[in-house]
Amino acid sequence: MSTTVTTKTSTNATTRTAPATTAGRPPVPVFWLALLATPVAAGANAPVLILPDMARSLGVATSTATWLVASFAGSMAVGIPLLAGLLRRRGLRPTLRLSGALLLLGTLLVAASPWLPLTLLGRAAQAAGGAGLVAAAMSLAGSARRMGVISAGFGMLGAAGPLLGAQLAQAASWRLSLSVSVVSILAVPVVSRYATAPAPAQGRFDARGAALLTVLATALVLLPHSPAAGLGSAAVAAAALALHVRRRPDGFVPLALLRKPVFLGSALLALVLSGSYFTLLFAVPRLLSDRAGWDRGAAGAGQLIALLTGSALSWVLAAASARMGRTAVRTVLLGIGTLAALTAAFAGWGPLLLTATLGAVFAATGANAVLSMHAASAAPEAQRPTAIGLFTLCYQLGGAFGPAVATALVLA
């Protein structure tokens, strides 16, 4: 795995971790990193418009079929820090092999399974494999500019996922729609060539810390669906994890990292902006219908354009972030994210609601690109995959909370 060099431009400047060559080898071309990470976004959103078709095929209610979405989101949220931990201890090549195998196995299950439980298992395996590929790509990005390419591509493919899924289902089968993330496999052999021998692992693997974090993340993902059970389980898991971290401060969740204001601020802001974006993603189509009188087709087309535009513009912020201070970047992200939420809350004109969507995806995607680099800069070299994994867990939790908030405020 390529090493990184940290450069401080000023006391208030964004920390940039630029990829360095190892044994004369250049950094991984960003195209291959984007191909490795971004198809999972299309696969995650592919079921949105075809849930009734999937439910009929599997012989279940549409509400039951929504677990195919929840299982994917939950497995992504849990899988990223776990596979980032594997990346930290064993290096790039084993992580890519395991992740690729999980993605391929999950896709085969989804393609062949006639039963919902087995299909759910396939979706979970797809998401876990995709999570490992995302963790690998993010750890190899090395700079906010390169991370911006990955994050913008993630947003664009995520925006196109529902339409792509519907078209593939109409042309062939909904099972093909749920298999689009397997395209990432094409990048695995290329990226594997850039692997170097991992540093020797320090100490025993913290299996208890990994298990407690998995339980906590799972409870938080289930919180919107079962508040009482989710809240109780999350509280118990959080308390147990806090005690464990104090006993083993250098374990799976490093105590020193949790004490870094840069890391905590970056992760929490990403969670808030991600949650706001995913809330508007599900709420704005209904608002366009109720407040502006738009039909479903016009609302879907308008939102797609807004999402693609906002995702593309987020790369501009990522590219410029190296010349901006951390305070300026966070002010931009928080300001635009807040303005987007307020606009969606009060606007009644269709174009303004779409502008709110554009602002929300710009803030969330920009946060994923830039703040992930801030979070990584708070950790020593050996712990950067862990920092990125925990940061991305927070971002994914926003994606789990957003639809539930939209349902409570608008869709119910």
Side-chain angles (χ1 to χ4, degrees):
M1 182 174 153
S2 62
T3 58
T4 61
V5 178
T6 303
T7 303
K8 298 274 188 177
T9 56
S10 71
T11 56
N12 193 38
T14 300
T15 300
R16 300 179 67 243
T17 52
T21 60
T22 301
R25 190 184 296 274
V28 185
V30 72
F31 167 80
W32 293 108
L33 295 181
L35 182 60
L36 188 71
T38 58
V40 70
N45 292 346
V48 170
L49 299 178
I50 57 174
L51 278 174
D53 297 335
M54 295 162 54
R56 282 193 297 270
S57 176
L58 294 168
V60 299
T62 301
S63 59
T64 304
T66 59
W67 279 102
L68 290 167
V69 179
S71 66
F72 196 97
S75 190
M76 274 286 292
V78 171
I80 284 182
L82 292 179
L83 270 298
L86 176 65
L87 180 65
R88 172 188 170 188
R89 292 186 62 85
R90 302 303 300 272
L92 179 64
R93 192 167 286 132
T95 303
L96 290 176
R97 287 174 178 170
L98 176 60
S99 301
L102 285 171
L103 179 56
L104 187 57
L105 175 62
T107 300
L108 292 175
L109 286 176
V110 168
S113 169
W115 306 293
L116 178 64
L118 197 56
T119 309
L120 286 172
L121 181 62
R123 287 294 281 170
Q126 282 182 317
L133 299 182
V134 170
M138 293 179 71
S139 69
L140 292 169
S143 71
R145 180 188 294 269
R146 285 161 56 88
M147 185 70 81
V149 175
I150 298 171
S151 187
F154 209 87
M156 288 179 172
L157 286 185
L163 181 60
L164 177 62
Q167 293 297 320
L168 290 176
Q170 184 177 4
S173 167
W174 61 266
R175 297 180 186 275
L176 179 61
S177 302
L178 269 58
S179 301
V180 294
S181 57
V182 79
V183 174
S184 296
I185 294 292
L186 297 175
V188 170
V190 178
V191 178
S192 294
R193 296 174 192 164
Y194 290 81
T196 58
Q202 300 296 319
R204 295 180 295 107
F205 176 67
D206 183 13
R208 180 176 296 179
L212 288 173
L213 180 64
T214 300
V215 172
L216 175 59
T218 302
L220 291 173
V221 169
L222 294 177
L223 184 60
H225 306 280
S226 181
L231 183 60
S233 301
V236 172
L241 181 60
L243 291 174
H244 176 75
V245 169
R246 292 184 67 86
R247 286 195 298 266
R248 188 165 178 184
D250 58 345
F252 192 81
V253 181
L255 179 60
L257 187 62
L258 298 182
R259 288 176 171 172
K260 295 284 188 178
V262 171
F263 174 80
L264 288 179
S266 299
L268 292 177
L269 182 55
L271 190 154
V272 170
L273 293 175
S274 173
S276 176
Y277 159 56
F278 281 101
T279 298
L280 295 189
L281 179 66
F282 284 84
V284 165
R286 173 65 68 85
L287 296 178
L288 286 169
S289 175
D290 294 347
R291 297 180 185 176
W294 289 25
D295 60 31
R296 180 180 297 180
Q303 188 174 41
L304 177 61
I305 294 171
L307 291 172
L308 291 174
T309 304
S311 298
L313 289 176
S314 69
W315 182 84
V316 178
L317 176 66
S321 64
R323 298 186 298 274
M324 301 169 65
R326 283 179 180 164
T327 301
V329 170
R330 296 184 183 203
T331 299
V332 169
L333 292 172
L334 186 58
I336 292 180
T338 302
L339 185 60
L342 291 174
T343 301
F346 297 106
W349 186 42
L352 271 182
L353 290 170
L354 292 179
T355 301
T357 302
L358 188 155
V361 71
F362 171 86
T365 307
N368 193 33
V370 181
L371 299 186
S372 61
M373 292 291 96
H374 292 182
S377 73
E381 175 66 26
Q383 291 183 350
R384 283 181 186 165
T386 299
I388 289 177
L390 295 175
F391 170 89
T392 310
L393 169 62
C394 292
Y395 185 88
Q396 292 292 333
L397 287 176
F401 296 153
V405 175
T407 299
L409 295 179
V410 176
L411 302 180

